Amino acid sequence: MPGQFEPIPGGGAAVALDDVEISIIRSLAVQLLELIGPGPGGEVSDDPLAELFAEGPSEPPADPVMKRLLPDAYGGPGSEQGPGDPDETRAYSAEFRRFTENDLRAKKRDDALVVIRSLDTMIASGDGGAVLKLSVEESQHWLGALNDLRLAIGTRLEVTDEEDADLLYRLPDTDPRKPMVMAYLWLGGLQETLVGTLLD
């Protein structure tokens, strides 16, 4: 089981993690949470209707990672996905973003928080690494967070296609990107095995 998720009876998944692995995933999830930021207005509202009707931004984020995590709905101007007119495409994308970005950010925040809380439970047990057991619902949150973490790291590493990913394997150990590359590849393995457990 080391380094990979396996199915557990009754649904869900389990993975053995040592202290270093727990620390790495938790640190990355906290950084992701900080990048995504707080909810609308910076605080949680007690009024669910206010949250439901809160409008998000209409412009894409400036940070390349956030652009990747919160992409334009129609691929941006000149894309084959949207209308031919770039101004129309921009308008459709802005309107879509305004009504969906807050929900998407909230989902990504929830996913990262589930990861952090489940790892904190392991840390509190003081076992020096252990087997993490996740319910089906927790597994879904983990899958979302692992995907977001890989997208974020891949964006920082400027991975745009399979060829770029293949080059990462051949980086020398002296390359300053090597630790980030190792995290990217490791998280990919975790993500792949978690998908496999959920499909079983």
Side-chain angles (χ1 to χ4, degrees), residues 98-171:
R98 207 160 56 95
F99 291 109
T100 61
E101 185 170 309
N102 286 345
D103 288 342
L104 190 54
R105 281 181 185 260
K107 164 80 170 80
K108 292 178 183 301
R109 253 191 313 276
D110 289 346
D111 290 345
L113 282 169
V114 167
V115 169
I116 292 166
R117 288 176 182 143
S118 57
L119 293 174
D120 284 351
T121 302
M122 291 181 79
I123 293 167
S125 71
D127 290 340
V131 175
L132 173 66
K133 292 183 180 177
L134 302 172
S135 68
V136 173
E137 184 180 347
E138 289 169 329
S139 297
Q140 294 287 352
H141 285 290
W142 265 75
L143 194 56
L146 288 172
N147 185 61
D148 288 343
L149 290 172
R150 288 196 77 239
L151 285 174
I153 295 171
T155 302
R156 293 286 189 239
L157 291 171
E158 299 178 351
V159 174
T160 56
D161 56 29
E162 279 302 314
E163 195 172 303
D164 291 338
D166 289 341
L167 291 174
L168 297 178
Y169 286 101
R170 295 193 290 276
L171 281 180

Side-chain angles (χ1 to χ4, degrees), residues 1-180:
M1 183 183 296
Q4 64 181 26
F5 280 96
E6 293 184 0
I8 55 177
V15 63
L17 297 171
D18 64 29
D19 283 344
V20 173
E21 293 167 331
I22 292 168
S23 176
I24 291 169
I25 297 172
R26 190 184 187 288
S27 174
L28 290 172
V30 167
Q31 290 175 51
L32 180 65
L33 204 53
E34 290 169 353
L35 187 62
I36 293 167
E43 55 195 47
V44 177
S45 170
D46 291 333
D47 181 2
L49 288 178
E51 286 185 30
L52 182 64
F53 293 107
E55 292 183 6
S58 58
E59 292 298 316
D63 185 293
V65 170
M66 289 308 295
K67 272 187 184 174
R68 185 71 179 98
L69 293 174
L70 305 166
D72 274 326
Y74 297 102
S79 169
E80 293 177 14
Q81 296 175 342
D85 178 13
D87 290 334
E88 243 184 288
T89 300
R90 230 183 323 274
Y92 283 134
S93 290
E95 194 71 3
F96 185 82
R97 181 177 297 281
R98 207 160 56 95
F99 291 109
T100 61
E101 185 170 309
N102 286 345
D103 288 342
L104 190 54
R105 281 181 185 260
K107 164 80 170 80
K108 292 178 183 301
R109 253 191 313 276
D110 289 346
D111 290 345
L113 282 169
V114 167
V115 169
I116 292 166
R117 288 176 182 143
S118 57
L119 293 174
D120 284 351
T121 302
M122 291 181 79
I123 293 167
S125 71
D127 290 340
V131 175
L132 173 66
K133 292 183 180 177
L134 302 172
S135 68
V136 173
E137 184 180 347
E138 289 169 329
S139 297
Q140 294 287 352
H141 285 290
W142 265 75
L143 194 56
L146 288 172
N147 185 61
D148 288 343
L149 290 172
R150 288 196 77 239
L151 285 174
I153 295 171
T155 302
R156 293 286 189 239
L157 291 171
E158 299 178 351
V159 174
T160 56
D161 56 29
E162 279 302 314
E163 195 172 303
D164 291 338
D166 289 341
L167 291 174
L168 297 178
Y169 286 101
R170 295 193 290 276
L171 281 180
D173 290 343
T174 54
D175 192 300
R177 296 170 296 171
K178 190 70 173 196
M180 203 171 2

